[in-house]
Amino acid sequence: MTTTSTPDELPGTAMTDEAYGALRASAALWAGTSVLITDRRGRILIQHVDYLSTCLLPGGAVDAGEAPSHAASRELKEELGVDAVVDRGLAVDWVSRDGSTAPPVMRFPGEIIHVYDGGTWDDERIAAVRLPEGEIESIEFVEPARLPDLMSPNDARRALSALRARIGSVGAALLENGSPLTPTVLDRAGVLRTARAEHHLPFHPAPAPDGLDVRQSWGWLFAPDGRVLVLLDPETGAACLPGGTPEPHDHGDPVATLRREAREEARVGLGEPVFLGHLTDQGRPCARFRYAAAVSHVGPVLPDPATDRTYTRILAAPEQALELFDWGPPATEQLAAVHRARERLGIPAAARGPVTELGAPTVW
């Protein structure tokens, strides 16, 4: 074998297989796995363990000769009592020697951690979890924004990066100490770094009763490929649909409110909106209207005159957009109304795909 064993040796210096093996062994890293599991609200499963003050995703070390995906499945069985095939990668993270909180006595050499997608679990599957004797004290599903308070810094960054990769459908992310080498628009905007507002409001696919105060008019605004426009707050990373509260010069017309807000917040023009229905607040006599419409043209990115914020505009399939919100079970019925309206508008259904930023002005 011909290689260079040290920086001082010239290229082409002969090295024995034994010396080459020793060199490779001296640079060896640990290997580990993690599994990202969410519930139907988009909260992440974490484990409270008896050997750390911080929490972990399910997972553990890869045994000698074991494939990382097999290790992930084995750890799910050992830690949660769940049989599952884990075969979709979300991230691969290189953890440096200095990037770990391991004590010096462990002589931590660095680690490669493979993060896999454990999917979305329903209540029945969650109820089937069986914890082992010792090691795992409890599990809970938490809002993604809570991870930095519950996990080590590296572990929290890795989990959030993996979750953004899953939502954004960009393929497995390559990470170094939890941070992506090539940040996506969701990474750059810091999506899910702040808690999502919990709005589990009943959705009614019908006109609001007469006399009910209209507090809000939001729109599912479609690009020609079936993806919808979502706005990301530059200060918090929070996601919202275009729209807002009525103002006097809207003259009580919720469609006028939607058009004005879409123009001011997102700099887009709309075709004729289709009414989807309304949401009602518990204990408050008001309605929040929802519409669907095709985007007719896109203007340049400019600050919202009402807030002076310049929103990041992204396009995502409706199902991906919902993962950025915490709207609870009523969101299912709202999504069905969105797709009925999309069909009426003659717009194709968008498959899950990479979330992209909407930048240059265009006419559709």
Side-chain angles (χ1 to χ4, degrees):
M1 178 176 292
T2 301
T3 185
T4 300
S5 60
T6 71
D8 297 326
E9 292 186 30
L10 297 175
T13 300
M15 178 186 290
T16 65
D17 289 349
E18 181 181 7
Y20 184 63
L23 178 66
R24 292 289 297 267
S26 70
L29 301 175
W30 293 352
T33 64
S34 291
V35 183
L36 183 80
I37 298 165
T38 55
D39 65 7
R40 287 182 168 176
R41 289 178 54 186
R43 298 177 301 179
I44 295 177
L45 186 154
I46 60 170
Q47 299 179 155
H48 297 265
V49 297
D50 60 12
Y51 56 90
L52 287 175
S53 60
T54 54
C55 298
L56 299 170
L57 297 182
V62 177
D63 291 339
E66 185 179 30
S69 61
H70 293 172
S73 295
R74 173 179 54 75
E75 290 287 349
L76 284 181
K77 180 64 174 178
E78 293 174 359
E79 296 182 341
L80 302 179
V82 171
D83 290 307
V85 175
V86 181
D87 56 8
R88 181 184 175 216
L90 295 178
V92 178
D93 189 15
W94 175 80
V95 183
S96 69
R97 183 177 305 184
D98 298 330
S100 171
T101 56
V105 70
M106 292 181 67
R107 294 183 296 176
F108 178 72
E111 188 171 16
I112 297 291
I113 298 180
H114 300 256
V115 185
Y116 291 94
D117 187 359
T120 299
W121 288 12
D122 57 21
D123 292 343
E124 183 178 358
R125 193 168 196 190
I126 295 169
V129 168
R130 296 293 180 267
L131 301 182
E133 292 289 337
E135 185 180 356
I136 313 300
E137 296 180 331
S138 63
I139 64 169
E140 66 173 318
F141 285 87
V142 302
E143 182 69 19
R146 290 189 58 203
L147 295 183
D149 297 328
L150 298 168
M151 307 177 81
S152 72
N154 258 17
D155 290 347
R157 284 195 300 271
R158 182 185 312 116
L160 283 172
S161 294
L163 180 59
R164 291 173 187 142
R166 185 172 90 169
I167 294 172
S169 293
V170 294
L174 295 179
L175 314 177
E176 291 186 357
N177 291 322
S179 298
L181 289 175
T182 306
T184 67
V185 62
L186 300 185
D187 295 312
R188 295 194 300 271
V191 166
L192 301 175
R193 73 178 186 269
T194 54
R196 302 168 299 166
E198 183 180 325
H199 288 152
H200 296 194
L201 305 178
F203 176 74
H204 311 278
D210 291 339
L212 202 60
D213 182 30
V214 178
R215 293 286 181 88
Q216 193 182 72
S217 185
W218 280 5
W220 292 81
L221 308 185
F222 283 96
D225 63 2
R227 292 185 295 170
V228 294
L229 176 61
V230 180
L231 305 180
L232 304 179
D233 190 299
E235 297 180 5
T236 65
C240 67
L241 296 178
T245 55
E247 295 184 2
H249 50 276
D250 296 331
H251 304 293
D253 181 1
V255 171
T257 298
L258 176 62
R259 290 187 183 278
R260 174 182 54 76
E261 291 284 355
R263 182 176 63 252
E264 293 176 354
E265 290 181 337
R267 303 293 169 175
V268 298
L270 309 180
E272 191 61 33
V274 174
F275 181 71
L276 301 180
H278 70 282
L279 294 92
T280 52
D281 285 10
Q282 293 181 352
R284 301 175 63 186
C286 66
R288 302 172 187 269
F289 282 12
R290 294 291 182 266
Y291 291 89
V295 174
S296 59
H297 63 272
V298 179
V301 178
L302 293 171
D304 179 356
T307 63
D308 202 34
R309 294 178 181 174
T310 303
Y311 293 96
T312 299
R313 306 178 298 189
I314 63 171
L315 293 175
E319 288 73 14
Q320 289 169 283
L322 272 184
E323 293 179 34
L324 301 174
F325 310 127
D326 183 7
W327 288 355
T332 301
E333 193 169 4
Q334 184 175 169
L335 184 62
V338 168
H339 282 300
R340 289 193 295 268
R342 174 188 56 74
E343 292 174 352
R344 286 180 55 188
L345 293 167
I347 296 173
R352 292 186 71 96
V355 170
T356 59
E357 187 169 1
L358 181 60
T362 187
V363 176
W364 284 327

